[in-house]
Amino acid sequence: MKRLPDTELEVMKALWATGPDTPRTLLEEQLSPFGWAANTINTYLARLADKGFVAVRREGKSNRYTPLVDQETYQAFDSRAVLDRLYGSPRNFVAALAREGMRRGELEELQALLDQLNGGQGQ
């Protein structure tokens, strides 16, 4: 899997929000805040289809689109890619967050997540 450019990621976010078999008109409506021309949206959709992120189904005179990569899978992949590229390790990432100052509630949430991931065993 490859990281998506921000523009293609916005198209994927619109598809994740609308679900499978999304009509083109609904997708254009979701993407209207960006002010992209129809040809621009076509280009992004074609790229996403080529990359295996989107399936296209012809229905009458228009297309319907289905995401082939779910949001959680992409977020997990992208999070790891950012972490590796910018911080090198989870420890360095958390250290950077701590240097910026984490609120007590954020620390408690992080500890609860770590406990959950570690089988519910706290220190």
Side-chain angles (χ1 to χ4, degrees), residues 14-55:
L15 282 169
W16 288 325
T18 56
D21 211 31
T22 299
R24 174 62 187 248
T25 54
L26 179 56
L27 186 56
E28 286 180 358
E29 184 180 307
Q30 290 286 315
L31 295 170
S32 65
F34 295 101
W36 294 330
N39 286 342
T40 301
I41 295 171
N42 282 339
T43 299
Y44 296 149
L45 288 166
R47 288 178 187 166
L48 288 166
D50 289 344
K51 293 175 183 178
F53 278 81
V54 174

Side-chain angles (χ1 to χ4, degrees), residues 45-100:
L45 288 166
R47 288 178 187 166
L48 288 166
D50 289 344
K51 293 175 183 178
F53 278 81
V54 174
V56 183
R57 181 175 67 83
R58 188 83 176 156
E59 184 177 274
K61 293 183 178 183
S62 66
N63 291 335
R64 297 178 83 84
Y65 301 90
T66 298
L68 296 176
V69 175
D70 65 73
Q71 188 171 11
E72 294 77 20
T73 299
Y74 184 77
Q75 286 175 330
F77 161 79
D78 195 40
S79 297
R80 183 44 116 175
V82 168
L83 184 119
D84 289 345
R85 189 176 78 246
L86 294 177
Y87 301 98
S89 74
R91 184 196 180 288
N92 292 342
F93 175 70
V94 172
L97 285 176
R99 278 193 298 275
E100 288 296 315

